[in-house]
Amino acid sequence: MVELVSFLNGLVWSPALIYLCLGVGLYFSIRGRFLQIRHFREMVRLMFKGRTDSAGITSFQALTMTLAGRVGTGNIAGVATAITFGGPGAIFWMWMVAFLGASSAFVESTLGQVYKEKLDGQYRGGPAFYIEKGLGLKWYAWIFAIVTIFACGLLLPGVQANSIASSVQTAFDISPNVTAAVLAVMIGLIIFGGITRIAHFTQVVVPFMALGYIIVACVIIMLNIEKLPEVIALILKSAFGMQAGFGAILGLAIMWGVKRGVYSNEAGQGTGPHASSAAAVSHPAKQGLVQAFSVYIDTLFVCSATA
């Protein structure tokens, strides 16, 4: 199993992924005339100006649903891994992925809104919908849907649950089986209430979780504020190989920065549009802008606090 996972991991996280993520983000940024900068104020305004109806949720609820999956292991262990293998410069390339990835997040979430449908009284949408209806590739839409079920239903939650169980066992010596049972019951109570209950839960928990973490990190930074300029300088020098000790691992800094950045903010991964499609908005681009801002929250705020 380890050999199989390592082989598949090598294929998925190959240099091709790095060029693809940065390239697509740059392409959409240029085509959108760097909307992630031009419409920054609009992103913030739209985030809190949402409406809802019987079939959908608000923009803010959709935002917190996506952040619930993004703010977690990738922001803590992922950042530590990036620094360990890619040096401090990996953080700069995580910022770069976030900046360019904001345009990718805008495009995928806007498309999710454009091609969403009302099924069983609720809005449904995502990449499988716009791959089939926009590109006309039904077979590819099926492949994406099946892979997403395994990824979002089994593999990604498995990573999070394993991290929680390992941490609880280390801190309190509680068996991972007990933690798993508690998690399963708690999550079941939430998800079986449908998208509305998930949205109501995340809009309360996620802001508290993310803000609480950032505040604690900022307190630690303030207690060591005299070291902050040196830290920023180290990240920038390492990112471009200007420091002798990190010149040899410039490629690793880029590779690990992009890898952990994509894993953290999920921009272009195709998971964000599912929640975005459930939002009730007057124009598709509005939800796209809100989701673009979620990339900033995740990587520029939370990941930087960790770093």
Side-chain angles (χ1 to χ4, degrees):
M1 180 59 74
V2 172
E3 291 179 0
L4 175 62
V5 171
S6 299
F7 172 73
L8 293 175
N9 193 57
L11 292 178
V12 174
W13 294 107
S14 64
L17 175 81
I18 297 169
Y19 300 132
L20 185 64
C21 290
L22 292 176
V24 169
L26 180 61
Y27 172 76
F28 284 136
S29 296
I30 294 173
R31 287 297 302 272
R33 292 181 291 130
F34 291 94
L35 58 91
Q36 62 266 57
I37 298 175
R38 293 189 298 113
H39 296 302
F40 184 81
R41 290 180 61 185
E42 187 70 1
M43 292 177 189
V44 179
R45 188 185 72 84
L46 290 172
M47 183 171 60
F48 298 105
K49 188 183 178 182
R51 65 188 183 91
T52 185
D53 57 30
S54 60
I57 57 179
T58 67
S59 293
F60 183 71
Q61 287 175 331
L63 171 71
T64 57
M65 284 177 65
T66 55
L67 284 176
R70 291 171 177 170
V71 177
T73 305
N75 304 94
I76 304 171
V79 175
T81 303
I83 295 174
T84 300
F85 291 104
I91 302 304
F92 173 84
W93 293 104
M94 288 184 75
W95 294 338
M96 188 58 62
V97 167
F99 175 70
L100 296 177
S103 61
S104 301
F106 167 81
V107 170
E108 64 180 1
S109 294
T110 301
L111 285 172
Q113 278 285 327
V114 171
Y115 290 99
K116 71 180 180 184
E117 295 181 4
K118 193 173 183 180
L119 302 172
D120 299 325
Q122 292 184 325
Y123 293 129
R124 294 283 187 270
F129 282 72
Y130 56 75
I131 289 171
E132 178 184 351
K133 300 181 186 305
L135 295 177
L137 300 174
K138 190 171 184 177
W139 62 271
Y140 189 43
W142 270 98
I143 292 175
F144 183 91
I146 293 170
V147 168
T148 301
I149 289 171
F150 279 101
C152 296
L154 181 65
L155 302 179
L156 289 174
V159 173
Q160 303 284 4
N162 181 67
S163 298
I164 295 170
S166 298
S167 300
V168 171
Q169 185 178 31
T170 302
F172 306 108
D173 196 27
I174 295 175
S175 170
N177 292 329
V178 175
T179 305
V182 173
L183 283 175
V185 172
M186 291 174 63
I187 294 170
L189 291 173
I190 299 167
I191 64 174
F192 287 118
I195 195 166
T196 304
R197 185 183 296 177
I198 297 172
H200 285 307
F201 179 81
T202 57
Q203 76 173 354
V204 174
V205 173
V206 171
F208 173 79
M209 175 179 68
L211 283 174
Y213 183 76
I214 292 173
I215 289 171
V216 170
C218 287
V219 169
I220 295 172
I221 292 170
M222 292 304 296
L223 292 174
N224 300 274
I225 193 66
E226 74 280 357
K227 298 178 182 177
L228 185 59
E230 185 181 345
V231 170
I232 301 297
L234 181 64
I235 290 173
L236 294 177
K237 288 178 181 178
S238 173
F240 298 100
M242 291 186 289
Q243 195 146 331
F246 300 109
I249 62 169
L250 176 59
L252 288 174
I254 297 173
M255 181 178 71
W256 279 99
V258 174
K259 281 183 178 181
R260 297 298 92 182
V262 172
Y263 177 66
S264 170
N265 59 49
E266 300 181 14
Q269 188 171 299
T271 49
H274 295 115
S276 300
S277 301
V281 291
S282 58
H283 192 282
K286 289 185 176 181
Q287 189 59 33
L289 288 173
V290 171
Q291 289 303 124
F293 187 70
S294 74
V295 176
Y296 287 159
I297 295 174
D298 179 86
T299 303
L300 294 186
F301 299 161
V302 183
C303 286
S304 295
T306 301

